[in-house]
Amino acid sequence: MHNLGYTRSSWQVDHALLTPDTFIRASLPGMKKATAIVHAAPAMGAAFTEYTVEFEADGRIGPSQNQRFLYVLEGTVDVAGKQKKHRLSKDGYAYLPPGDHTVSAREISRAIVIEKEYVPLKGTHPPKLFIGSEPAIPGQPLLGDTTLEVRTLVPADMAFDFAVNTLTFQPGASLPMVEVHVMEHGLLMLEGGGIYRLGESWYQAVAGDFIWMGPYCPQWFGALGKVPSKYLLYKDWNRHPLAR
């Protein structure tokens, strides 16, 4: 049934809420039997690109000139580098440096992909491919709050110019403050839902929604409902604001 033009999706100069009813799918160069839902890109003002890949059986995406972070949402995905192939199941993830690697799926699968041009840092070597599993990462309370758990998926190493975390909120938990900072975010709601403040607006956010937060956008989240809420969060990190 047509909803007569209504949607929760909203795009503003410093933030965006994108909901599944507005998603458009398209194949990107290098994709075979796969399509992408592009959530964030320079066209909206972001300094990174984030998209969901929907694989058919035997689907694949080719290599990229940019670094990638990949997180499996559904199914099983194979990541192949120059010397070895790694199989990732749901909640598995991989960091892929620029260059010769492929990502494929034997079955219908979904994964979120973050791409960003690597910013070198003098005295460090660029990161190498690594894999992990989100449930295997020990959770830590945020600022001592045991109702809000953070899992750090990218190592705390200055070689990395971005961070990716998951945050899990127990029902009724919230961020302890309204944050305003130079980093920008890409956020995918994985489970549950709640209320997000973005700029001067307040939005319902539920599993499946994507949020982009530009630099200095005021932001706050509070979880609602009877089940935990969880999201996957990207931010640029470890570089001077003047770095290119």
Side-chain angles (χ1 to χ4, degrees):
M1 178 71 67
H2 194 280
N3 58 12
L4 301 178
Y6 172 77
T7 181
R8 288 185 296 111
S9 287
S10 176
W11 180 84
Q12 305 296 326
V13 68
D14 62 351
H15 69 266
L17 169 69
L18 305 177
T19 60
D21 58 296
T22 60
F23 291 171
I24 297 296
R25 293 155 174 83
S27 184
L28 299 178
M31 289 186 171
K32 179 182 178 182
K33 300 180 73 174
T35 54
I37 305 165
V38 179
H39 305 298
M44 69 162 27
F48 67 103
T49 296
E50 187 164 354
Y51 53 94
T52 295
V53 181
E54 297 180 334
F55 296 92
E56 301 176 38
D58 298 320
R60 66 175 53 240
I61 59 177
S64 173
Q65 64 181 356
N66 297 308
Q67 59 181 337
R68 279 176 170 160
F69 182 90
L70 178 143
Y71 187 98
V72 180
L73 301 171
E74 179 183 355
T76 304
V77 171
D78 291 329
V79 173
K82 294 181 179 180
Q83 300 178 338
K84 190 175 181 180
K85 179 183 288 188
H86 306 273
R87 180 155 295 171
L88 306 176
S89 56
K90 184 179 183 298
D91 298 317
Y93 61 89
Y95 171 79
L96 305 172
D100 189 15
H101 63 263
T102 59
V103 179
S104 60
R106 296 186 180 184
E107 60 183 357
I108 294 174
S109 302
R110 293 189 305 123
I112 192 82
V113 176
I114 300 165
E115 291 195 15
K116 178 182 181 296
E117 182 179 358
Y118 182 67
V119 180
L121 181 65
K122 186 176 180 180
T124 66
H125 297 287
K128 296 182 179 179
L129 185 150
F130 77 85
I131 63 170
S133 174
E134 191 267 353
I137 302 297
Q140 300 294 330
L142 179 66
L143 299 177
D145 185 349
T146 57
T147 68
L148 207 176
E149 189 174 67
V150 180
R151 285 183 167 86
T152 302
L153 308 189
V154 173
D157 186 325
M158 291 297 291
F160 292 94
D161 63 356
F162 69 93
V164 180
N165 305 320
T166 59
L167 281 79
T168 302
F169 297 73
Q170 294 305 310
S174 68
L175 293 174
M177 58 183 288
V178 176
E179 298 183 10
V180 180
H181 50 63
V182 68
M183 294 82 70
E184 66 174 333
H185 287 309
L187 182 157
L188 181 67
M189 291 292 304
L190 299 175
E191 301 172 11
I195 299 296
Y196 229 110
R197 175 184 172 171
L198 301 171
E200 300 306 315
S201 300
W202 300 76
Y203 300 94
Q204 178 190 16
V206 299
D209 291 349
F210 179 85
I211 293 173
W212 168 69
M213 291 169 265
Y216 297 106
C217 174
Q219 54 198 255
W220 176 89
F221 178 72
L224 298 177
K226 298 182 179 181
V227 299
S229 299
K230 181 178 180 179
Y231 55 68
L232 181 77
L233 185 71
Y234 157 90
K235 65 178 175 181
D236 49 316
W237 195 239
N238 286 340
R239 295 297 184 268
H240 192 280
L242 293 178
R244 292 289 188 269

